[in-house]
Amino acid sequence: MEPARQPSIPRGEKTTHPVLTPNDGLPVSENGAPTNPSTFAGRLHVQWKRFERQLAAYNLEARGIQRVEPDERHDMHTLGYTQVALLWTSFNLAANNITLGMLGPAVFYLGFLDSTLCAVFGMFIGCLAVAYIATFGPKSGNRTMIFARYIMGWWPSKLIVILNIIVLLGYAMIDCVVAGQILSAVSDNKISVVVGIVIVAVITWGITTFGYQVFHYYERYSWLPQLIVLCILYGVAGPNFNIYSKSEGDAATLAGNRLSFFGLTLAAAITYGGGAADYFVYYPEDTPRWKIFSVTMIGLSLSFTFAFIIGIGLASGMFVNPAYEEAYGTSQGALIVEGYRPLGTFGSFCGVIVALGLVGNLIPPTYSSGIDAQILGRWAAVVPRIIWNTIGVVIYTVCALAGRGHLAEIFTNFLALMGYWVSIWMAITLEEHFVFRRKTAFNWAVWNEKKKLPLGIAALIAFLIGWTGAILCMAQVWYIGPIAKLVGEYGADMGNYIGFAWAALVYPPVRLWELKKFRR
């Protein structure tokens, strides 16, 4: 097939020409990769660049981690504030958040009211961090993990990148499992969970391969069918919600379970922070930060609340409806399908829409992981985003196939654990931004100049100490920290709160020492 003569390429896409950087005086591309044609790496890089230009000719996003310059941005008529809210709503109005809400009554033995309050306030705090990070997309034109270089330094930031890739692929794995469970339940097990996982993974790969512009268009409209079928689920299953259910356990155990579920929903929200700026780097540099912050909060908090309450309601119904209890015993996805059961064939159709709606939630981690992989090293930056994107899809699909029978354990063990690092990083980021950069702004043009970025000594020390606090206060099935054990029968997962607090206490004095000692 021949490419169109005038392909519709997103503004900001352009051919990368060799330039000199002050790092070493050698010819490198804008992403820092070598282009000396006399070396093997240089020849390989030239071949990759030809491949990227071919991708652009077919309207695929070829840009990787390079900064989007101010003159390359879209105008607000192309991508407005409504798009920001719709993007987050479309990302988030998905079945994985319904299944997460189920864990309040089903795993932590919380009543309907307790579960709802913990879920809503937990996610709200997490959303504040996400909305804050999202504002750096238009302001800097840099991806989120490139922005991390300004906080953590060149080398320590690679630790953040690795953790973020793990989180992104882990969330994608969970989405695939939920989608597979729903499709299998809708077909009365005629379609296996394996087939369902592969279906949504392939669809997601197709959309994210095209890149930024295409997935923005997809997310602009994909929220609507999800909203319709979930409203139908509210109406059909609502009479079976046990809204008067009570929490179980003595006072200490109840407090521990509340803290754990609160932390779990906080983690589910805050982990968006690892990629929040990625989706707005083409917005104008002068976009008001408060508007991006506000519409992000609206889109995220409303969609989270809507999905969580459905999940909490379905799980609370298990205590009064044996059919719900039996369905949950099969899988969380089967419980969603059971909620549609009174509608017969139409209910099955709604279940399929819910399952396919998980593609919208799969897009952000798939897209961001492909970008973040390029930050691991200059060797990684040579490889086009589409290749990393494909590798990411293969990895989380294989992991989903292997872990498809253990979704609840993955949720409770993985999500809370992975939220720790984001909370710790947020403490360091907030203090660097509002205390140490209060009078000196970030120089966004030096995103790839190692010597002009912070050393990151203070950030790394604070990050490790924050992790120490999180480990001491974590409560997972496989490990309960000594401090967490002090609360209730099952412990209380306080890793997010303690990790944030310890990092926030340590960072300022160590950062002052770093600035005085090295004056960088």
Side-chain angles (χ1 to χ4, degrees):
M1 179 186 294
E2 292 294 324
R5 292 187 177 182
Q6 294 180 331
S8 175
I9 302 172
R11 287 176 60 185
E13 292 300 311
K14 62 181 183 179
T15 302
T16 304
H17 299 288
V19 296
L20 285 176
T21 72
N23 286 338
D24 48 23
L26 296 175
V28 298
S29 70
E30 290 182 18
N31 63 14
T35 57
N36 187 345
S38 64
T39 65
F40 173 77
R43 290 193 297 271
L44 181 62
H45 179 255
V46 170
Q47 293 299 320
W48 281 128
K49 286 296 139 186
R50 288 176 181 170
F51 181 54
E52 285 184 338
R53 285 193 289 271
Q54 188 65 30
L55 296 179
Y58 284 100
N59 201 25
L60 302 176
E61 184 187 15
R63 180 184 293 274
I65 59 174
Q66 301 94 335
R67 184 191 180 213
V68 182
E69 301 295 337
D71 62 347
E72 298 177 315
R73 313 291 181 85
H74 293 295
D75 56 43
M76 291 306 292
H77 295 291
T78 305
L79 296 169
Y81 301 114
T82 303
Q83 173 68 10
V84 179
L86 292 180
L87 190 76
W88 288 115
T89 300
S90 190
F91 282 172
N92 216 36
L93 200 62
N96 66 313
N97 289 322
I98 297 176
T99 57
L100 178 56
M102 293 177 186
L103 302 183
V107 173
F108 297 101
Y109 305 107
L110 297 176
F112 183 89
L113 181 59
D114 267 1
S115 296
T116 300
L117 290 175
C118 289
V120 170
F121 285 103
M123 70 83 189
F124 187 82
I125 292 176
C127 290
L128 290 173
V130 179
Y132 165 70
I133 294 297
T135 64
F136 285 98
K139 185 61 62 176
S140 69
N142 287 318
R143 313 287 184 166
T144 311
M145 290 295 100
I146 291 293
F147 167 62
R149 289 178 175 177
Y150 290 84
I151 307 301
M152 301 293 295
W154 181 273
W155 292 110
S157 66
K158 295 185 186 297
L159 173 61
I160 300 295
V161 173
I162 292 171
L163 290 171
N164 196 49
I165 291 174
I166 293 172
V167 170
L168 294 171
L169 297 182
Y171 268 97
M173 173 189 66
I174 291 170
D175 287 342
C176 285
V177 173
V178 175
Q181 289 179 349
I182 295 173
L183 290 174
S184 178
V186 166
S187 65
D188 292 326
N189 297 320
K190 293 177 183 177
I191 296 177
S192 69
V193 175
V194 171
V195 174
I197 289 172
V198 173
I199 289 173
V200 295
V202 170
I203 295 173
T204 303
W205 177 83
I207 295 172
T208 53
T209 292
F210 282 91
Y212 185 96
Q213 187 181 47
V214 172
F215 89 68
H216 263 272
Y217 278 119
Y218 177 85
E219 300 287 6
R220 183 178 299 179
Y221 304 105
S222 66
W223 63 273
L224 184 57
Q226 287 300 297
L227 180 62
I228 293 172
V229 295
L230 292 183
C231 284
I232 293 172
L233 181 59
Y234 257 117
V236 174
N240 291 308
F241 289 3
N242 185 10
I243 61 174
Y244 300 107
S245 60
K246 302 297 182 182
S247 301
E248 299 179 11
D250 56 52
T253 300
L254 181 57
N257 287 342
R258 285 169 174 166
L259 281 171
S260 295
F261 188 54
F262 184 97
L264 186 62
T265 55
L266 185 155
I270 201 172
T271 44
Y272 274 124
D278 294 7
Y279 319 123
F280 308 110
V281 291
Y282 287 95
Y283 275 66
E285 188 178 27
D286 58 356
T287 303
R289 300 185 72 157
W290 70 269
K291 291 186 177 180
I292 296 291
F293 182 92
S294 299
V295 292
T296 296
M297 283 298 300
I298 291 171
L300 274 179
S301 58
L302 290 180
S303 55
F304 261 127
T305 300
F306 193 82
F308 281 163
I309 293 178
I310 294 179
I312 293 168
L314 288 171
S316 68
M318 292 192 301
F319 303 109
V320 294
N321 190 330
Y324 278 22
E325 185 176 9
E326 182 181 355
Y328 185 83
T330 302
S331 70
Q332 287 89 340
L335 179 54
I336 294 175
V337 175
E338 183 61 35
Y340 284 114
R341 190 69 63 189
L343 299 179
T345 303
F346 179 69
S348 298
F349 170 77
C350 291
V352 172
I353 298 299
V354 171
L356 295 180
L358 279 157
V359 171
N361 196 261
L362 270 164
I363 285 173
T366 305
Y367 177 79
S368 291
S369 63
I371 294 291
D372 291 351
Q374 292 187 320
I375 308 174
L376 293 174
R378 304 208 172 195
W379 59 271
V382 174
V383 181
R385 180 193 62 81
I386 183 176
I387 302 298
W388 287 120
N389 189 81
T390 303
I391 293 172
V393 171
V394 171
I395 291 173
Y396 69 64
T397 302
V398 171
C399 291
L401 295 174
R404 61 187 183 276
H406 307 280
L407 184 60
E409 293 90 338
I410 294 171
F411 257 131
T412 54
N413 295 332
F414 173 79
L415 289 189
L417 183 64
M418 286 297 99
Y420 298 158
W421 82 262
V422 186
S423 299
I424 296 166
W425 179 60
M426 282 303 308
I428 299 169
T429 300
L430 288 167
E431 291 183 330
E432 178 68 21
H433 183 200
F434 292 111
V435 177
F436 296 99
R437 301 282 186 146
R438 184 167 52 89
K439 294 182 179 180
T440 57
F442 295 100
N443 181 2
W444 303 120
V446 300
W447 65 273
N448 205 38
E449 298 182 33
K450 180 167 55 177
K451 294 182 179 180
K452 294 186 179 181
L453 294 168
L455 286 174
I457 297 173
L460 181 60
I461 292 173
F463 189 80
L464 295 176
I465 291 177
W467 258 108
T468 302
I471 292 171
L472 292 173
C473 298
M474 66 187 286
Q476 307 296 331
V477 174
W478 45 274
Y479 175 76
I480 300 178
I483 298 177
K485 285 182 181 178
L486 301 176
V487 184
E489 181 180 355
Y490 309 108
D493 186 8
M494 301 178 288
N496 282 295
Y497 329 127
I498 302 302
F500 180 95
W502 284 25
L505 288 172
V506 170
Y507 184 69
V510 183
R511 179 64 168 143
L512 286 172
W513 167 82
E514 181 185 2
L515 290 171
K516 182 178 180 180
K517 180 72 174 178
F518 299 99
R519 298 188 181 279
R520 187 170 178 178

